[in-house]
Amino acid sequence: MVCRAGDWFRQALKDFEHARRSLEMGDFEWACFAAHQAAEKAIKALYQKLGIEVWGRSISRMLANLPEKYRPSTDLIDHAKRIDRHYIPSRYPNVHSEGAPLDYYTREDALEAIKYAEEIIEFCRSKIF
């Protein structure tokens, strides 16, 4: 397997910038989704660096399934669970009984997702570089 960890990590950083810009624009649902994407790509970069193939979208599962030597604290895994909640509901109106995702997401949701995504990105950076 060709190691594309650098490519995955660079895209994670770009997605993280997008999350911040979405927050500034008041697009809180997109900030949450972009934060999820940033964290997901950062952890996939770490898996690439380790030479392990990984599939899926659950950031918490990917963190929990890292080899023991690389596994993060349970607190970080719990933070990832909070971000995992944004993968689908932030984008699809039919997830909610009525209204669109933009009706359900707040600035606080976006701030939390960005904060936790940054923690995950920095954890991955410390293991990759």
Side-chain angles (χ1 to χ4, degrees), residues 16-29:
F16 187 71
E17 289 175 26
H18 180 75
R20 286 179 155 165
R21 286 193 309 272
S22 293
L23 170 66
E24 290 170 8
M25 294 186 324
D27 295 337
F28 304 132
E29 75 282 12

Side-chain angles (χ1 to χ4, degrees), residues 60 73-83 116:
S60 60
S73 69
T74 56
D75 284 345
L76 192 64
I77 293 170
D78 286 347
H79 292 172
K81 288 177 183 179
R82 305 273 306 178
I83 297 173
Y116 292 161

Side-chain angles (χ1 to χ4, degrees), residues 53-64:
E53 191 168 353
V54 66
W55 291 91
R57 304 285 182 237
S58 174
I59 301 159
S60 60
R61 183 192 56 80
M62 287 185 270
L63 287 171

Side-chain angles (χ1 to χ4, degrees), residues 9 12-13 16 35-47 57-64 66 70 72-84 112-128:
F9 198 79
L13 295 177
F16 187 71
H36 177 280
Q37 291 296 282
E40 177 187 333
K41 290 170 186 164
I43 188 64
K44 286 183 175 180
L46 177 53
Y47 271 91
R57 304 285 182 237
S58 174
I59 301 159
S60 60
R61 183 192 56 80
M62 287 185 270
L63 287 171
L66 280 165
Y70 296 94
S73 69
T74 56
D75 284 345
L76 192 64
I77 293 170
D78 286 347
H79 292 172
K81 288 177 183 179
R82 305 273 306 178
I83 297 173
D84 281 339
E112 178 186 76
I114 289 169
K115 176 185 173 193
Y116 292 161
E118 186 170 26
E119 290 175 5
I120 292 165
I121 290 167
E122 290 310 314
F123 168 80
C124 293
R125 183 193 314 265
S126 75
K127 303 295 183 192
I128 294 169

